[in-house]
RNA sequence: GGUCCGCUAGCUCAGUUGGAUAGAGCAACAGAUUUCUAAUCUGUGGGUCAGGGGUUCGAAUCCCUUGCGGAUCACCA
């Protein structure tokens, strides 16, 4: 923010004037004043005592005096030991308010100006419906996309669908041995129907393994020769040979899954600019391997397999092509990275993928760097921790996986119940009520998953997630509704009077609001939506304190009232925009 | 075994590039509403920032080390 630059410049001047020594502005650091002290910014003088050759108190006092008489924005200063607390004038804060309360671009930053970024997220398998873990991925991916857009990037979102391989053949085989039910005949969402057959496959398969073991066959062997898995593998071979019947079944079941996913995406409010399918990309990358062999980046073994040696980088030797010439996972990703660059020419490429693939992405980036690909340095793995339940890890085998669609329904019902109890929705139509419940439910769920820093493993506590008090989405939504309620009957035009006095709670709220640009910038630079989420909470809390302490519409002094209304408008704008960056809607009434 | 990540109040989490007496929410207890929405606000209690060492005016934050939890190191994806 500009004021910080002004202050650091003044402080640098003061060293020159008072102690006759030049100090780099970049070495002067300002921080927020601790709440137990009076002031807005604090300058710590300890590192500069060598220059002043005075005691901390004397140094702070001298600098304070100098900058106060040389900067109109500073109304006062105080110091405790080496901490120089600088107090900005009410006029400064009101000028800030005046300049920004009606500025719809407030909070934007320029870190991505002129650059393009691709954000890959969701990236599901087509054999089962989405669960809680996918939700964290999708919400993170969507939110970081919004944050990057707000930071000046051109954002291209991408979904790389894993639509081929043994997992989908398992569902296909199980379905083929069933009675031919469809989403229509079963009234099941397509992804759930396919998921049902995936589970069914697994049941049969395990039963077969048990039976084989009873006959004295070893576990490893049983897993290989069980009839189901053999059939599924045969199906995969047929698929790879383009067998028309198999392809038709594969297409049919995948379509079911896609229409199911689309419903879930729509409900979550996300969509993608590009879809990539592994069935189209799984053969890519081999050319790049040949290229790398010529460059000497890869090594070919006698059996024909191709490797890269990353031991110098502290990693291992990694296979990039099998002896029979077929691809492995990383080969595909090398090819897909090339394809993405061909399509989008992006400066940065973000992969929202769980932290179990940290190693994989480290290797991928390293390989592409060694191949001197222009897009290699722009690769960033937005890694996130697993979502645990109070009972421990989610395990599909034990049926403890939290289904995304069911979870959203439960949240919706809870929102409806609680909203009904509060009885503030007179005059709402049924449609409006349903929209409101959905807004609150999604707000609660999204906020709950986004407020935790991505790198951290997190706990999903069902009871806590439907609590709408405290640090929650609905709390912030409620704050917005309160502001809307104050602003709804405004008709007169009004202005900000920059010479009026400010109440302490107003000043504190303004100070928080002034940080919005900082926060969006930091969130974009560190790919971290939780910074925005926690900031939203800070704003809401500060506003609620003001709302409680001061009357807005009842304020008798016209200038104070108008200033306060402008604060409401700015608060509402920041909340609405910030929540939008998280993919959360805010209601005017709730 | 190698590598990576995490560890902050009973529980869930914040804590900008190192700064003053480490903060919120939930839970517990005590209060506040003739008023612009009480899904709110105020207060009380609650801590060896996993342990130890180092760097320095100053460390939850940086470095080393130990412990605990998790992940990963496949001719799987």
């Amino acid at each position: 923010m500009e004021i910080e630059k002004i202050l650091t410049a003044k402080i640098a001047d003061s060293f020159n004037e008072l102690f006759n020594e030049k100090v780099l502005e970049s070495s002067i650091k300002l921080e927020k004043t601790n709440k137990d002290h009076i002031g807005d910014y604090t300058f710590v003088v300890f590192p500069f005592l060598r220059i002043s050759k005075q005691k901390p108190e004397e140094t702070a006092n001298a600098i304070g005096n100098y900058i106060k008489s040389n900067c109109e924005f500073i109304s006062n200063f105080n110091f405790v030991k080496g901490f120089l607390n600088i107090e900005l004038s009410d006029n400064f804060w009101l000028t800030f308010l005046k300049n920004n309360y009606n500025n719809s671009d407030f909070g934007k930053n320029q870190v991505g100006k002129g650059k393009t970024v691709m954000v890959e997220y969701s990236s599901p398998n087509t054999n089962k419906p989405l669960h809680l873990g996918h939700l964290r991925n999708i919400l993170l991916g969507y939110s970081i996309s919004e944050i990057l857009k707000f930071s000046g990037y051109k954002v291209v979102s991408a979904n790389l669908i894993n639509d081929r391989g043994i997992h989908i053949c398992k569902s296909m085989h199980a379905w083929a041995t069933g009675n031919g039910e469809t989403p229509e005949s079963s009234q099941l969402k397509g992804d759930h129907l396919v998921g049902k057959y995936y589970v069914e496959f697994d049941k049969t398969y395990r039963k077969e393994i048990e039976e084989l073991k009873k006959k004295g066959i070893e576990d490893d062997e049983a897993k290989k020769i069980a009839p189901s898995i053999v059939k599924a593998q045969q199906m995969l071979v047929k698929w790879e040979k383009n067998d028309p019947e198999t392809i038709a079944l594969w297409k049919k079941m995948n379509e079911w899954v896609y229409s199911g996913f689309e419903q879930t995406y729509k409900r979550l409010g996300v969509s993608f600019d590009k879809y990539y399918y592994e069935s189209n990309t799984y053969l890519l990358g081999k050319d790049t391997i040949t290229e790398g062999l010529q460059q000497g980046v890869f090594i070919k073994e006698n059996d024909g397999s191709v490797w890269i040696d990353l031991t110098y980088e502290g990693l291992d030797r990694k296979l990039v092509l099998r002896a029979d010439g077929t691809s492995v996972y990383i080969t595909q990703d090398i090819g897909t990275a090339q394809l993405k660059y061909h399509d989008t020419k992006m400066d940065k490429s973000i992969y929202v993928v769980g932290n179990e693939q940290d190693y994989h992405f480290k290797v991928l980036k390293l390989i592409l760097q060694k191949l001197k690909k222009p897009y290699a340095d722009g690769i960033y793995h937005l890694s996130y921790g697993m979502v645990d339940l109070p009972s421990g890890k989610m395990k599909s085998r034990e049926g403890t996986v939290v289904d995304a669609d069911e979870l959203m329904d439960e949240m919706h019902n809870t929102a409806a119940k609680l909203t009904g109890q509060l009885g503030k929705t007179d005059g709402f139509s049924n449609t409006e009520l349903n929209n409101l419940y959905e807004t609150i439910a999604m707000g609660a769920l999204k906020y709950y998953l986004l407020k935790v820093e991505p790198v951290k493993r997190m706990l999903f506590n069902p009871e806590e997630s439907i609590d709408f008090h405290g640090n929650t989405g609905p709390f912030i939504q409620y704050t917005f509704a309160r502001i809307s309620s104050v602003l709804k009957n405004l008709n007169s035009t009004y202005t900000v009077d920059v010479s009026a006095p400010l109440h302490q709670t107003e000043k504190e709220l303004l100070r928080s609001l002034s940080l919005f640009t900082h926060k969006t910038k930091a969130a974009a630079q560190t790919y971290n939506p939780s910074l925005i989420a926690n900031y939203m909470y800070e704003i809401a809390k500060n506003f609620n304190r003001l709302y409680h302490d001061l009357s807005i519409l009842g304020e008798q002094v016209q200038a104070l009232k108008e200033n306060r209304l402008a604060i409401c408008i700015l608060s509402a704008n920041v909340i609405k925009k910030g929540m939008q960056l998280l993919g959360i809607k805010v209601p005017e009434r709730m």
Side-chain angles (χ1 to χ4, degrees):
Chain A
M1 192 180 159
E2 216 171 75
I3 185 67
E4 291 186 21
K5 280 184 191 150
I6 295 170
L7 292 177
T8 47
K10 294 295 174 194
I11 291 168
D13 288 350
S14 76
F15 279 107
N16 207 0
E17 289 289 319
L18 299 170
F19 309 113
N20 203 19
E21 183 144 345
K22 287 226 187 306
V23 169
L24 286 176
E25 285 183 33
S26 58
S27 69
I28 294 169
K29 289 166 189 167
L30 288 172
E31 35 205 281
K32 243 176 85 177
T33 298
N34 183 302
K35 68 172 183 179
D36 296 334
H37 296 84
I38 295 170
D40 296 295
Y41 285 96
T42 294
F43 173 61
V44 184
V45 305
F46 291 115
F48 300 93
L49 296 181
R50 258 180 306 177
I51 292 171
S52 72
K53 300 191 178 71
Q54 291 180 350
K55 288 178 185 168
E57 293 85 346
E58 290 165 358
T59 309
N61 190 24
I63 295 171
N65 271 317
Y66 178 89
I67 60 173
K68 188 188 169 186
S69 49
N70 283 284
C71 179
E72 52 176 333
F73 300 126
I74 299 172
S75 62
N76 227 331
F77 73 92
N78 65 80
F79 54 89
V80 181
K81 289 183 279 186
F83 298 92
L84 172 61
N85 301 317
I86 302 162
E87 201 178 339
L88 299 178
S89 64
D90 290 357
N91 184 285
F92 169 80
W93 292 113
L94 288 165
T95 305
F96 158 74
L97 176 65
K98 186 175 186 171
N99 292 339
N100 292 294
Y101 82 98
N102 251 339
N103 169 14
S104 59
D105 279 347
F106 178 62
K108 272 193 183 166
N109 70 79
Q110 301 297 323
V111 300
K113 198 177 179 184
K115 291 187 213 155
T116 300
V117 60
M118 177 173 264
V119 181
E120 179 197 303
Y121 66 98
S122 189
S123 304
N125 291 351
T126 55
N127 61 336
K128 51 178 180 270
L130 303 171
H131 60 68
L132 185 52
H134 296 114
L135 284 182
R136 190 175 193 193
N137 179 306
I138 293 166
L139 298 177
L140 272 174
Y142 180 81
S143 178
I144 200 62
S145 299
E146 290 298 299
I147 290 166
L148 293 173
K149 271 184 215 165
F150 200 54
S151 305
Y153 281 100
K154 177 173 184 272
V155 176
V156 178
S157 59
N159 192 353
L160 172 60
I161 297 180
N162 185 1
D163 62 341
R164 63 165 288 279
I166 190 69
H167 63 272
I168 179 72
C169 288
K170 288 177 178 175
S171 307
M172 282 159 62
H173 168 67
W175 186 85
T177 57
N179 57 11
E181 70 174 333
T182 65
E184 292 75 30
S185 73
S186 63
Q187 293 293 305
L188 270 178
K189 217 164 143 266
D191 49 337
H192 288 263
L193 178 67
V194 172
K196 177 179 147 184
Y197 282 99
Y198 185 75
V199 171
E200 214 148 274
F201 173 92
D202 199 59
K203 265 192 222 160
T204 311
Y205 178 41
R206 275 189 291 162
K207 205 190 289 172
E208 289 169 357
I209 293 170
E210 286 312 309
E211 279 166 15
L212 288 167
K213 278 160 83 175
K214 273 181 204 158
K215 291 179 188 163
I217 294 167
E218 291 291 323
D219 187 66
D220 284 356
E221 181 68 6
K223 280 180 180 160
K224 281 183 201 158
I225 64 165
S228 304
I229 195 72
V230 171
K231 285 272 173 53
Q233 263 151 2
Q234 284 168 355
M235 213 164 220
L236 184 59
V237 172
K238 279 187 182 172
W239 182 91
E240 285 178 353
K241 285 181 180 163
N242 257 315
D243 172 60
E245 207 177 310
T246 311
I247 295 289
L249 175 60
W250 170 73
K251 278 189 179 163
K252 176 162 72 179
M253 291 183 72
N254 273 344
E255 283 308 318
W256 290 345
V257 173
Y258 298 148
S259 72
F261 283 173
E262 281 311 312
Q263 280 182 49
T264 307
Y265 289 148
K266 195 177 172 196
R267 188 167 184 186
L268 288 166
V270 309
S271 61
F272 300 91
D273 300 315
K274 277 189 172 298
Y275 285 88
Y276 290 102
Y277 298 89
E278 283 198 16
S279 55
N280 293 327
T281 63
Y282 81 109
L283 296 175
L284 296 178
K286 291 189 193 179
D287 294 348
T288 313
I289 303 300
T290 313
E291 199 183 297
L293 271 170
Q294 284 161 2
Q295 290 177 23
V297 174
F298 302 128
I299 310 138
K300 195 169 209 162
E301 289 292 317
N302 290 333
D303 66 356
S305 60
V306 181
W307 297 76
I308 187 165
D309 188 352
L310 298 173
T311 48
Y312 182 75
E313 285 79 10
L315 305 176
D316 302 273
R317 261 168 66 92
K318 185 87 183 169
L319 179 89
V320 293
L321 208 59
R322 292 192 187 103
D324 63 5
T326 57
S327 304
V328 288
Y329 183 44
I330 196 118
T331 325
Q332 275 183 56
D333 268 359
I334 291 168
T336 309
Q338 179 82 38
L339 176 63
K340 284 176 167 181
Y341 185 67
H342 174 267
D343 289 351
T344 305
K345 295 285 184 297
M346 64 280 182
D347 303 284
K348 280 182 185 294
S349 187
I350 297 171
Y351 294 78
V352 184
V353 178
N355 64 4
E356 73 272 21
Q357 294 198 31
D358 284 355
Y359 183 80
H360 173 76
F361 281 101
K362 201 181 256 188
V363 170
L364 177 66
K365 183 165 181 170
L366 209 46
I367 290 177
L368 293 171
Q369 281 172 328
K370 282 177 175 271
L371 291 167
K372 302 215 169 17
K373 294 292 179 185
Y375 46 85
D377 290 339
I379 287 178
Y380 181 78
H381 175 206
L382 175 41
S383 169
Y384 61 90
M386 297 293 104
V387 183
D388 287 328
L389 300 173
S391 55
K393 289 174 75 167
M394 283 197 287
K395 287 176 185 160
S396 48
R397 286 271 161 82
E398 293 167 22
T400 55
V401 174
V402 176
D403 179 78
D405 295 317
E406 283 175 24
L407 179 61
M408 289 189 282
D409 285 343
E410 280 171 33
M411 297 294 285
H412 185 100
N413 293 338
T414 307
K417 203 174 96 190
L418 293 179
T419 306
Q421 284 170 3
L422 291 169
K424 295 181 183 178
T425 47
D426 287 349
F428 275 68
S429 70
N430 278 340
T431 313
E432 286 170 333
L433 277 178
N434 257 315
N435 287 341
L436 177 63
Y437 301 155
E438 187 71 1
T439 298
I440 295 170
M442 288 297 131
L445 180 60
K446 290 180 178 182
Y447 188 86
Y448 189 87
L449 290 171
L450 286 173
K451 73 176 173 182
V452 180
E453 212 182 336
V455 70
K456 286 185 177 162
R457 200 180 177 92
M458 68 171 289
L459 184 81
F460 184 85
N461 185 331
E463 284 173 32
E464 206 177 282
S465 70
I466 55 167
D467 186 353
F468 295 166
H469 303 272
N471 188 1
T472 64
F475 169 76
I476 297 159
Q477 290 174 320
Y478 175 71
T479 308
F480 182 83
R482 276 184 142 181
I483 302 172
S484 301
S485 172
V486 172
L487 296 176
K488 70 183 168 195
N489 292 323
L490 280 188
N491 39 24
S492 59
T493 54
Y494 52 91
T495 51
V496 173
D497 180 352
V498 296
S499 60
L502 270 178
H503 194 277
Q504 188 60 26
T505 51
E506 290 174 312
K507 200 151 107 177
E508 270 165 31
L509 178 55
L510 282 170
R511 185 158 52 164
S512 292
L513 289 166
S514 75
L515 296 173
F516 191 31
T517 313
H518 269 321
K519 299 290 180 178
T520 62
K521 195 172 170 182
Q525 285 171 329
T526 59
Y527 308 101
N528 183 1
S530 79
L531 292 178
I532 301 294
N534 286 299
Y535 174 66
M536 286 294 104
Y537 179 58
E538 180 189 324
I539 296 293
K541 229 177 11 172
N542 280 331
F543 182 85
N544 279 316
R545 186 174 301 127
L546 180 144
Y547 184 92
H548 178 269
D549 291 354
L550 303 173
S551 181
I552 300 162
L553 296 175
E555 172 59 51
Q556 297 301 307
V557 181
Q558 189 61 18
L560 296 186
K561 179 175 168 181
E562 294 192 13
N563 285 355
R564 213 162 281 161
L565 284 167
I567 293 175
C568 287
I569 292 174
L570 184 58
S571 302
N573 287 345
V574 168
I575 291 175
K576 186 168 192 172
K577 193 70 217 179
M579 291 297 263
Q580 197 179 311
L581 297 179
L582 301 173
I584 300 174
K585 289 182 190 159
V586 284
E588 310 249 320
R589 277 182 66 192
M590 68 183 274

